[in-house]
């Protein structure tokens, strides 16, 4: 699936919020509620995956930054 066809994280979260609000209202037929619940589970799983990937990317960047820094390179000379 290409990037253009994947909903972005913010859109998925907004959709998930609407689903939660609809389910919490208790005003819909059972079949529709079950369908929305299933859709919500799929969206939540997708968002969880995206968050895990983002955390991984941040950890990689933090690791690279820490690896590139050494106390000897901090510009201070030992006397």
């Amino acid at each position: 699936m290409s990037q253009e066809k994947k909903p972005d994280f913010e859109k998925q979260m907004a959709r998930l919020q609407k689903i939660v609000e609809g389910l919490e209202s208790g005003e819909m037929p059972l079949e529709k509620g079950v369908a929305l619940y299933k859709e919500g589970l799929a969206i939540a799983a997708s968002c969880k995956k995206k968050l895990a990937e983002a955390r991984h990317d941040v950890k990689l960047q933090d690791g690279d930054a820490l690896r590139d820094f050494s106390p000897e390179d901090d510009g201070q000379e030992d006397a």
Side-chain angles (χ1 to χ4, degrees):
M1 191 179 262
S2 71
Q3 284 292 77
E4 298 82 36
K5 292 183 182 179
K6 289 184 184 177
D8 66 5
F9 182 80
E10 289 76 16
K11 286 181 182 176
Q12 286 186 314
M13 289 300 294
R15 176 63 182 146
L16 189 56
Q17 182 63 38
K18 286 190 182 280
I19 290 171
V20 169
E21 290 169 2
L23 291 172
E24 287 179 342
S25 75
E27 301 287 323
M28 67 182 61
L30 178 63
E31 294 80 14
K32 183 171 180 164
V34 170
L36 282 176
Y37 181 77
K38 289 179 180 180
E39 181 185 352
L41 287 177
I43 292 171
S46 175
C47 288
K48 184 177 179 180
K49 181 179 176 186
K50 287 180 183 183
L51 284 173
E53 290 169 355
R55 283 188 189 112
H56 177 72
D57 290 347
V58 168
K59 283 183 182 180
L60 287 178
Q61 292 300 315
D62 282 348
D64 289 344
L66 293 174
R67 200 174 17 244
D68 291 342
F69 175 78
S70 65
E72 295 83 32
D73 297 334
D74 67 0
Q76 297 178 358
E77 295 291 324
D78 291 332

